[in-house]
Amino acid sequence: MAKLRPLYDKIVVKRMEEQEQKTPSGIIIPDTAKEKPQIGEVIAVGDGKLLSNGQVVSPKVKKGDKVIFNKYAGTEVELDGEKYLIMSEDEILAIIE
């Protein structure tokens, strides 16, 4: 299995899958009609943001954190049949504790 090692302030996130959704009347909503979840688990974290003066600021998130991110955040990649998002730390809105 290949590993992803993000650079600088990039973070690899795996979207959390949602359960099958039904309307109150019992109609099942197909996957194509649902919005993708904006919650995921951090799989890997880069070393930090590189500032113009050469300093590196450590990221606030760590591997295993559950996070909420922007709706259109990141770049989706597929590796070994699994889909991941690679995004900047700036695109993460909150850590779920």
Side-chain angles (χ1 to χ4, degrees), residues 49-57:
K49 187 171 188 160
L50 183 64
L51 302 178
S52 59
N53 64 3
Q55 274 188 308
V56 176
V57 178

Side-chain angles (χ1 to χ4, degrees), residues 17-23 26-31 34:
E17 298 298 323
E18 288 191 17
Q19 301 296 327
E20 188 176 77
Q21 290 185 339
K22 289 184 183 180
T23 63
I27 299 172
I28 296 174
I29 301 172
D31 289 342
K34 289 191 278 187

Side-chain angles (χ1 to χ4, degrees), residues 67-84:
V67 295
I68 299 173
F69 47 86
N70 286 327
K71 189 172 191 172
Y72 300 106
T75 301
E76 196 169 279
V77 295
E78 189 170 335
L79 185 66
D80 296 332
E82 295 282 339
K83 290 184 180 179
Y84 300 98

Side-chain angles (χ1 to χ4, degrees), residues 8-69:
Y8 302 109
D9 71 330
K10 301 299 184 223
I11 295 169
V12 180
V13 175
K14 183 172 182 175
R15 279 188 206 271
M16 300 185 87
E17 298 298 323
E18 288 191 17
Q19 301 296 327
E20 188 176 77
Q21 290 185 339
K22 289 184 183 180
T23 63
S25 61
I27 299 172
I28 296 174
I29 301 172
D31 289 342
T32 54
K34 289 191 278 187
E35 289 189 20
K36 292 183 178 179
Q38 293 171 253
I39 298 174
E41 181 179 352
V42 176
I43 303 299
V45 180
D47 294 331
K49 187 171 188 160
L50 183 64
L51 302 178
S52 59
N53 64 3
Q55 274 188 308
V56 176
V57 178
S58 297
K60 301 286 185 228
V61 297
K62 61 187 179 305
K63 184 177 177 178
D65 281 350
K66 302 230 183 312
V67 295
I68 299 173
F69 47 86

